Amino acid sequence: MAAARPTARSKDIVLERRKIEALIAEGRKVIIVEGKVLKVDAWLPYHPGGDKAILHMVGRDATNEVKAFHSAETQQMMLRYQIGKVDGQWIDYLPPIQGGKFRQDNGEPAQSNTPAAESDDESTLTESSQESSPLFEPAHGSTMRRRFGSSSALSESSSTSVESLALDGSEEKVIPKSAADERTQRELQHDLETFPKLDSATQGRIIQLYQQLDQRLRDEGLYDCNYKAYAREIARYTALAIVSLFCLRQGWYVASATFLGALWHQLVFTVHDAGHMGITHDFQTDSLIGIFVANWIGGLSCCWWKRNHNVHHIVTNSAEHDPDIQHMPFFAITHRFFDGLTSSYYDRVMTFDAVAKVTLKYQHYLYYPILALGRFNLYALSWQYILLGQGPRKGPAAWHRWLELAGQIFFWYWFGYLVVYKSIPTNGERFAFVMISHAVTMLVHVQITLSHFAMSTADLGVKESFPQRMLRTTMDVQCPEWLDFFHGGLQFQAVHHLFPRMPRHNLRAAQKHVMQFCDEVGIPYTVYGFVEGNGKVIGRLSEIAQQARILAECQRSMTVQDVFESH
């Protein structure tokens, strides 16, 4: 029997916190948006961005995330799932997917759905909830500490998870869950000293000014797509395709492969805009653009990318939850990966196994070679997403799966059969063509990892506001304006994470406003040149590689000692 649709009267009912907790304990997916309580269970199989993005918002005030990622029409549609409202300021819970526990109506604890839950004691059940950030009260901001090429700015990036106590509004005490880990404590302390305090007044002021900034950027027209810029983009794409085809006809296979790889590299930027509805701002139109470009021309699933990318935007640089930094056994950007973390996105344990013990020791050397092969991994993930039906099977995005499947077949026909097999005479030249064209696309993988690999991986808890987390975990890349086409807007990742639906051609104009915002609220704004930023990433990978080498040596020594003692 279908569930009864909430009536206008029922939507006005004030729900007690205890009632909402009990609903979540029963497995209901409840989020708070602008004081409204939404039970979105029925929307999970329909959500074009995937269910994981919603699960990370359960029990939390999702106002800022919802506004950042959804159109006004979608936000209005969400109201059909409203079951009541809350009275006063909402205090966030830790979502079940992140290890939060909740009590049922009878007072019995309901187990978390992830291994991250620590215990069943009363403190865990009641104090896993934490003050939400959007409390609009004025507070004095700290002095600005901008990171322009500072050598010490990223030297102590954090990689831990914390709990905030003292929910009565007093000064909170933040403690690491692994108190015995000296490195974790040191890295955590660095973030706590560098960024604004986590009290509700400070974070509330950040939210208030962030929302004012968002409205100011809208008023200035920076959410409007620059279609003249896209006309230049299309001209560039067409030129690359024509030159690649001409070289192929002439038998200049290396040149043809290079220009084809450059075309794929440039097209990713358009897919990125379309996936965020940053071109026409219409869901179906932008989805069609993204699917056509990604699948039919590039052989990659746009819908897989959206599912992955939305989670990345919500839990940026979280070792346990962000799929964009979960690359075991090839890369680890925090020592916590050595402990066998469980990925909530992939639903598996990322083990420090025999392969990882070898590869991680040399990850700073393998960084560029592995990224040169990254597109092959994206092919596999795309086919897995489509064939296993990991996307929505109902609702407005259900048919996208079949359009993507058709696009994949078309891509492998024109690229695999017509270009590689029919147009290139020898297997050796075919192999070289494929490898060169794919290696050129490494540049986009470098750009994506550059913005996050050297940044903080700390989870400061649900008390941290959305804009602070985005700026704490994301780096911008400085480049001259004439080179923007090369980076495709991805060099403004910090700005993009604050305003994901803003068209990329407007991000440079928005950057100066973000800098002013950072000055006002006291959040360091991190920006490096492309070469220096790469150095920071390699430095981070080298540091973790050294730790992996030491750990592997210790484990081998202990094994040898156990063998001798047993004899």
Side-chain angles (χ1 to χ4, degrees), residues 97-111:
I97 194 173
Q98 298 181 18
K101 290 188 176 182
F102 301 83
R103 294 170 299 175
Q104 298 174 344
D105 274 330
N106 58 10
E108 293 296 323
Q111 290 294 328

Side-chain angles (χ1 to χ4, degrees), residues 237-258:
Y237 302 157
T238 303
L240 289 170
I242 291 174
V243 173
S244 177
L245 180 60
F246 174 78
C247 292
L248 181 68
R249 297 282 185 174
Q250 298 298 314
W252 304 338
Y253 302 126
V254 172
S256 177
T258 301

